[in-house]
Amino acid sequence: MKKALVCGAGGFIGGHLVKKLKKDGYWVRGVDLKHNEYSQSLADEFIIGDLTDATIVASVCNLPFDEVFQLAADMGGAGYIFTGENDANVMHNSASINLNMAHYATKVGVKKIFYSSSACIYPAYNQEDPSNPNCAENSAYPAAPDSEYGWEKLFSERLFMAYHRNYNLNVRIARFHNIFGPEGTWTGGKEKAPAAVCRKVAQAIEGGSIEIWGDGKQTRSFLYIDECIEAVQRLMLSDFTEPVNIGSDEMISLNNLAKMVMDIAKKPLSINNIPGPLGVKGRNSDNKLIHEKLGWKPSKSLREGITATYSWVKQQADCK
Ligand code: NAD
């Protein structure tokens, strides 16, 4: 039986990944600061621990795991990473986790380690035109991420690649582009755009309005969680060790995303564009490399994923 360690197992992607690994017959150890708020973990062993602490990392990495998934990070949506208020914590906490994980994974001889980087590493100067952003993997340098969160991700990509070169740590690195779906943070300040928009629509009064930060013309693409997990597992099966995008290339403006949610909810509302933390003007996953190397591309439309997510967020909001 294969043994996997999932760091960040109490989070959104980690929670879904544990479920999938258990379905595939793995023995799984999960680690996180907290349990998942929305579902009971299926992990065989769930350790509550702080991965910024090297002694904790040494103890959770005490087996030569077949696969380690390093998803733990101090992160959130635009309201968390673009205000500047959390920069020091984001950089310190996530970098400490990654420094510890790369070191102890090497020391114990894990067979393969996955690191979740982000689209936030891409240079702001290539994402000023909302209709034509460039997020090809080879456009990452000269580096100019638009947030400290992005700088830390870029540093940690380089860290894992250095361990690969110097100590043969068998790494797989994905740059996730806005992953969304049920059982993700939907309220409290760390939620991302799809869940936030679903919540606003679910909670709005009939005929009322919702607020969207900025002019709403900023564009993004969003990948449904099941597709993300499938791509991660394909990457782990491959021998590709360079960073690669895992995202959707179905780009949409934030105002149009809001309209899509209203349409799914059958709830017409007006949009009030207000000042708020924003990030770059346009971002879209460039999927040429992943398609070439892994033969992977997303199979679900954004609308299908948003339909499932809206129904889950509405249920959560109704229970509050
Ligand atoms: P999440 O916040 O739901 O999960 C991260 C988990 O890490 C949380 O449960 C958190 O408690 C845990 N964690 C934080 N600090 C820790 C510590 N010191 N010790 C132990 N656990 C700690 O986020 P997610 O959406 O599941 O993202 C997973 C990974 O993917 C993160 O590294 C994130 O940066 C990356 N990523 C996610 C997206 C996305 O759209 N969701 C996009 C790009 C990159």
Side-chain angles (χ1 to χ4, degrees), residues 80-159:
Y80 190 71
I81 61 176
F82 294 124
T83 58
E85 286 161 18
N86 305 299
D87 286 352
N89 287 344
V90 164
M91 296 189 90
H92 173 269
N93 295 341
S94 296
S96 303
I97 296 170
N98 289 317
L99 287 161
N100 287 333
M101 287 304 302
H103 177 72
Y104 286 99
T106 303
K107 208 168 165 189
V108 76
V110 306
K111 296 199 179 72
K112 219 180 269 184
I113 184 164
F114 171 85
Y115 172 60
S116 50
S117 181
S118 165
C120 288
I121 65 101
Y122 286 111
Y125 58 76
N126 276 336
Q127 301 173 87
E128 278 162 13
D129 175 359
S131 59
N132 195 25
N134 177 10
C135 294
E137 286 81 349
N138 62 7
S139 71
Y141 297 94
D146 67 346
S147 63
E148 302 301 359
Y149 169 78
W151 278 105
E152 188 285 324
K153 287 287 186 196
L154 196 59
F155 162 77
S156 291
E157 280 189 3
R158 299 187 68 96
L159 173 76

Side-chain angles (χ1 to χ4, degrees), residues 164-190:
H164 173 61
R165 285 196 308 276
N166 295 165
Y167 299 116
N168 290 322
L169 183 64
N170 193 7
V171 297
R172 301 290 182 277
I173 301 170
R175 293 173 181 161
F176 288 156
H177 288 245
N178 293 312
I179 314 303
F180 76 101
E183 298 179 9
T185 307
W186 62 281
T187 188
K190 282 191 166 185

Side-chain angles (χ1 to χ4, degrees), residues 18-304:
V18 169
K19 279 188 201 160
K20 182 62 171 42
L21 292 172
K22 283 309 298 168
K23 203 168 150 201
D24 294 347
Y26 284 67
W27 182 91
V28 181
R29 174 183 287 170
V31 189
D32 203 298
L33 285 173
K34 58 162 183 71
H35 288 284
N36 189 289
E37 292 96 318
Y38 310 114
S39 74
Q40 175 109 30
S41 179
L42 299 182
D44 297 276
E45 201 177 86
F46 196 101
I47 299 173
I48 295 290
D50 183 345
L51 296 167
T52 63
D53 180 338
T55 57
I56 301 284
V57 176
S59 72
V60 300
C61 288
N62 65 348
L63 298 172
F65 286 99
D66 297 287
E67 295 178 14
V68 172
F69 298 87
Q70 192 336 62
L71 301 162
D74 191 353
M75 65 94 70
Y80 190 71
I81 61 176
F82 294 124
T83 58
E85 286 161 18
N86 305 299
D87 286 352
N89 287 344
V90 164
M91 296 189 90
H92 173 269
N93 295 341
S94 296
S96 303
I97 296 170
N98 289 317
L99 287 161
N100 287 333
M101 287 304 302
H103 177 72
Y104 286 99
T106 303
K107 208 168 165 189
V108 76
V110 306
K111 296 199 179 72
K112 219 180 269 184
I113 184 164
F114 171 85
Y115 172 60
S116 50
S117 181
S118 165
C120 288
I121 65 101
Y122 286 111
Y125 58 76
N126 276 336
Q127 301 173 87
E128 278 162 13
D129 175 359
S131 59
N132 195 25
N134 177 10
C135 294
E137 286 81 349
N138 62 7
S139 71
Y141 297 94
D146 67 346
S147 63
E148 302 301 359
Y149 169 78
W151 278 105
E152 188 285 324
K153 287 287 186 196
L154 196 59
F155 162 77
S156 291
E157 280 189 3
R158 299 187 68 96
L159 173 76
F160 281 102
M161 282 155 62
Y163 270 81
H164 173 61
R165 285 196 308 276
N166 295 165
Y167 299 116
N168 290 322
L169 183 64
N170 193 7
V171 297
R172 301 290 182 277
I173 301 170
R175 293 173 181 161
F176 288 156
H177 288 245
N178 293 312
I179 314 303
F180 76 101
E183 298 179 9
T185 307
W186 62 281
T187 188
K190 282 191 166 185
E191 62 277 20
K192 300 180 137 211
V197 174
C198 287
R199 186 200 67 230
K200 289 176 187 183
V201 171
Q203 292 180 331
I205 50 165
E206 296 289 338
S209 67
I210 60 164
E211 290 179 342
I212 296 289
W213 290 338
D215 62 9
K217 292 181 183 146
Q218 67 273 30
T219 54
R220 293 292 183 276
S221 68
F222 304 96
L223 182 71
Y224 192 63
I225 181 67
D226 294 359
E227 310 226 58
C228 167
I229 303 292
E230 200 227 319
V232 168
Q233 289 191 301
R234 275 214 208 188
L235 180 59
M236 286 298 261
L237 284 174
S238 80
D239 56 7
F240 193 64
T241 55
E242 300 286 312
V244 64
N245 291 330
I246 290 186
S248 158
D249 50 9
E250 186 183 340
M251 192 167 72
I252 187 167
S253 73
L254 266 290
N255 277 353
N256 283 341
L257 175 71
K259 286 178 194 157
M260 182 186 279
V261 176
M262 291 175 208
D263 193 47
I264 289 166
K266 300 192 175 50
K267 200 168 172 185
L269 302 162
S270 55
I271 296 175
N272 191 7
N273 289 112
I274 58 158
L278 286 180
V280 295
K281 295 214 177 72
R283 177 170 288 155
N284 194 14
S285 183
D286 183 317
N287 287 351
K288 283 187 219 72
L289 184 66
I290 193 162
H291 193 246
E292 181 195 317
K293 298 290 174 192
L294 309 183
W296 180 86
K297 60 179 179 192
S299 59
K300 259 191 207 308
S301 67
L302 174 63
R303 195 179 171 96
E304 284 173 86

